[in-house]
Amino acid sequence: MILTGKAHLAGVVGWPISHSKSPRLHGYWLDKLGIDGAYLPLAIEPDNFETAMQGLMQAGFKGVNVTVPHKEAALQFCDEVDPLARRIGAVNTVVFKEGRSYGSNTDAFGFIENLRQNSDNLDFSAAKTVVLGAGGAARGVIAALQDAGVPEVVLVNRTKSRSEALAADLNIDHEGNVKVADWDARAEILAGANLLVNTTSLGMAGQPSLELDMASLPEKAVVTDIVYAPLITPLLEMARSRGNPIVDGLGMLLHQARPGFEVWFGQKPEVTSELREFVLNA
Ligand code: ATR
């Protein structure tokens, strides 16, 4: 990579940041498209977040992605925040322009685009969906599903008070289409579902697997996991072995990066199988 004085700069702000796949992902696109630009890992401690963001803006950065633990702080920081990011309560993409900062959340876009690209027959307008987990990731996934037009989401979480609070919040503009069920009833509620989404950390490398009896799940139901390490989680393995179509979580990471790249660097990037291999083989 050789930069000129006009190079466009962006990066990802997090703490820690060394595990992030985003620099490799954006670097692949910059290289492929021959762009005069760079995308850097930016390790910023929580106490320094605001000062660092001001500094990046003043240094002429076009913008940044924001990851753990700064997504809520980024929402507070930005001069303007789009309505979806506000509903999710987190900003993951910031654009700096003429001394002002604009925040959005592209995780929801990434989640939906990943399903669109990798599950041919999924019709969101008819997708009765079961979502496992009620953390920050579930909030983004459910808001995305609501915007995509799903008629019903059944939300199950170990801690029911958390799923109830999340459902109440996300139902405000959506006429109660998020329903809450007990964690112990998670096997039964799979009957009649077209889409099953795991947003819990269960199944992630180093975490216990998700215990789930899938006997009631229709065979055509699409099963997806937002965990991508391992790529095929025990849940996806179990779903695949009983014949369900599966979509792994890596595509969500790849697709959520597209809108920021396009604004910062001025070209539309593509998510291809070659990119997947490149990001996986880090
Ligand atoms: P994130 O922001 O990534 O969603 P989080 O807010 O820590 O992370 O949420 C993690 C999710 O995994 C929660 O839904 C959590 O359930 P609780 O709300 O009951 O904590 C779920 N989770 C984590 N470990 C779990 C376990 N052993 N059994 C069931 N659910 C678990």
Side-chain angles (χ1 to χ4, degrees):
M1 171 186 63
I2 296 176
L3 302 176
T4 74
K6 293 181 188 147
H8 286 205
L9 300 179
V12 56
V13 174
W15 183 262
I17 203 63
S18 54
H19 65 284
S20 174
K21 294 189 186 297
S22 293
R24 194 168 161 84
L25 161 58
H26 284 265
Y28 172 92
W29 283 329
L30 287 168
D31 197 45
K32 192 98 186 158
L33 297 166
I35 292 173
D36 183 17
Y39 182 101
L40 308 172
L42 301 161
I44 308 291
E45 285 190 57
D47 284 351
N48 298 335
F49 179 75
E50 207 176 316
T51 317
M53 291 290 278
Q54 288 292 354
L56 291 166
M57 181 154 58
Q58 279 161 24
F61 272 62
K62 297 292 177 192
V64 287
N65 283 125
V66 178
T67 187
V68 179
H70 301 307
K71 290 186 182 185
E72 288 83 15
L75 189 139
Q76 299 305 321
F77 173 85
C78 286
D79 298 309
E80 283 183 37
V81 172
D82 82 6
L84 176 62
R86 207 166 275 294
R87 196 157 114 239
I88 296 171
V91 158
N92 79 331
T93 303
V94 180
V95 173
F96 298 135
K97 205 173 170 199
E98 291 158 8
R100 287 178 68 75
S101 50
Y102 300 85
S104 61
N105 189 308
T106 66
D107 287 331
F109 169 83
F111 174 75
I112 296 293
E113 287 292 296
N114 183 32
L115 283 175
R116 287 217 167 105
Q117 189 179 42
N118 297 300
S119 61
D120 302 339
N121 299 321
L122 184 62
D123 171 9
F124 287 104
S125 68
K128 185 190 157 202
T129 306
V130 173
V131 173
L132 305 170
R139 185 178 277 270
V141 161
I142 297 170
L145 289 167
Q146 288 178 319
D147 284 1
V150 300
E152 182 181 291
V153 173
V154 181
L155 175 57
V156 230
N157 192 50
R158 176 181 59 177
T159 311
K160 197 173 183 188
S161 55
R162 227 175 156 199
S163 40
E164 281 169 338
L166 182 56
D169 206 18
L170 290 172
N171 274 333
I172 290 172
D173 297 323
H174 286 268
E175 296 165 5
N177 76 344
V178 184
K179 311 223 162 28
V180 171
D182 287 334
W183 183 245
D184 288 344
R186 63 192 183 282
E188 295 102 84
I189 56 160
L190 299 179
N194 309 97
L195 175 63
L196 170 63
V197 188
N198 175 46
T199 75
T200 72
S201 45
L202 298 171
M204 199 183 276
Q207 298 286 324
S209 333
L210 170 63
E211 304 280 329
L212 184 64
D213 175 355
M214 292 175 107
S216 307
L217 185 72
E219 247 177 50
K220 285 189 181 147
V222 176
V223 179
T224 187
D225 202 324
I226 67 160
V227 169
Y228 59 82
L231 194 58
I232 303 298
T233 59
L235 174 75
L236 293 182
E237 189 62 63
M238 190 166 45
R240 185 163 63 184
S241 69
R242 64 191 293 282
N244 288 90
I246 62 167
V247 179
D248 67 57
L250 182 64
M252 179 176 174
L253 172 80
L254 306 181
H255 284 283
Q256 65 74 34
R258 285 169 42 205
F261 186 93
E262 192 176 342
V263 185
W264 303 321
F265 300 114
Q267 289 198 48
K268 269 188 197 301
E270 271 183 50
V271 173
T272 59
S273 48
E274 187 185 279
L275 172 64
R276 274 177 64 90
E277 289 306 311
F278 181 80
V279 171
L280 278 176
N281 296 329

